[in-house]
Amino acid sequence: MNKQICLATNNKGKLREYREILAPMGFTIYSPADLNIDFDVDETGADYRENSLLKAKGLRKLVPFPVIADDSGLEILALDCFPGLHSSRFAESMGGYPKAYEEIFRRLEGKDRSARFRCCICYLENEDSKPLYFEGFCPGQILNAPHGTNGFGYDPIFHSEEADIDFGVASEETKNAVSHRAKALQKLKVFFAIG
Ligand code: IMP
């Protein structure tokens, strides 16, 4: 198996998380920036799988080795899994995360606050290979008000059931023990270990 992989992100936090798990297995994980590639893909897929595949295929054309791409979002159950696939775009459309939090609190008045983060990782060995998918979920509750500034995106309004902590005050290590991305990544790790 090729031990060099390019990860379809320029997010340093994600890159660190992937490297932490896969480097001990002998993998070298590059970002597009490491390879001087200017990488951007329109996330026009109908679900997380399609978006992760769009990113993986887009990147695989540009690099000489296998790629990993992921797509993730926050799903609020009482709002039919909103903002879901549009998590990032929703925050942008509101003029930033603090405004998005307010709008979510407004929509959730009197409703159940159960939610989950969700992540789908796509691994694509060659351009014409069958894509492989690995998914992870992180269940919790939407808080009544933002708490803390740790993490990113919707972390300040999310309480993790499994870690029993608000992500806005959780350390990276605590979050990575239960996060949707870490769980999907663990499944990928098992695939690499036995595959
Ligand atoms: P992407 O998978 O990098 O496209 O991220 C999608 C969006 O989902 C992010 O920009 C955030 O708004 C949200 N999101 C995904 N994972 C997390 C997380 O771990 N914490 C907070 N927000 C997240």
Side-chain angles (χ1 to χ4, degrees), residues 9 11 14 43 55 70-74 84-89 91 97 117-118 151-156 167 175 179-181:
T9 187
N11 176 317
K14 272 193 193 177
E43 298 183 20
K55 295 185 209 178
D70 69 19
D71 195 46
S72 56
L74 172 69
L85 271 192
H86 310 291
S87 294
S88 174
R89 271 167 279 171
Y97 281 97
F117 284 114
R118 176 175 188 156
F152 69 98
Y154 296 93
D155 283 337
F167 271 174
K175 183 181 167 189
S179 87
H180 46 313
R181 208 166 1 263

Side-chain angles (χ1 to χ4, degrees), residues 3-186:
K3 292 261 179 178
Q4 290 181 303
I5 293 178
C6 189
L7 179 64
T9 187
N10 286 310
N11 176 317
K12 294 207 163 60
K14 272 193 193 177
L15 205 56
R16 194 164 54 234
E17 207 175 329
Y18 278 87
R19 282 185 176 142
E20 252 169 42
I21 305 243
L22 298 178
M25 301 178 78
F27 288 96
T28 305
I29 310 295
Y30 300 100
S31 70
D34 291 334
L35 303 170
N36 289 319
I37 290 170
D38 191 11
F39 178 69
D40 194 24
V41 163
D42 279 340
E43 298 183 20
T44 53
D47 55 32
Y48 297 87
R49 276 190 177 212
E50 281 189 23
N51 273 344
S52 65
L53 180 60
L54 279 173
K55 295 185 209 178
K57 281 202 158 157
L59 183 62
R60 188 64 187 81
K61 285 187 183 34
L62 306 174
V63 300
F65 32 70
V67 300
I68 298 172
D70 69 19
D71 195 46
S72 56
L74 172 69
E75 299 187 333
I76 301 172
L77 304 192
L79 303 181
D80 294 329
C81 293
F82 174 85
L85 271 192
H86 310 291
S87 294
S88 174
R89 271 167 279 171
F90 170 62
E92 264 170 46
S93 73
M94 294 303 298
Y97 281 97
K99 293 260 169 52
Y101 304 158
E102 274 171 37
E103 178 59 16
I104 285 174
F105 295 147
R106 196 189 63 73
R107 294 191 195 192
L108 272 181
E109 267 168 36
K111 299 204 167 106
D112 179 77
R113 306 183 84 85
S114 301
R116 63 188 173 215
F117 284 114
R118 176 175 188 156
C119 174
C120 176
I121 292 176
C122 175
Y123 173 70
L124 190 63
E125 185 125 3
N126 294 305
E127 264 186 82
D128 56 357
S129 305
K130 184 176 182 300
L132 300 174
Y133 299 99
F134 305 87
E135 293 198 57
F137 292 88
C138 177
Q141 296 280 319
I142 300 298
L143 299 171
N144 292 312
H147 179 208
T149 54
N150 290 356
F152 69 98
Y154 296 93
D155 283 337
I157 62 166
F158 190 81
H159 176 86
S160 159
E161 247 163 44
E162 288 162 296
D164 193 18
I165 192 168
D166 299 342
F167 271 174
V169 294
S171 66
E172 206 169 314
E173 195 185 10
T174 300
K175 183 181 167 189
N176 288 350
V178 297
S179 87
H180 46 313
R181 208 166 1 263
K183 287 190 189 129
L185 195 42
Q186 283 301 335

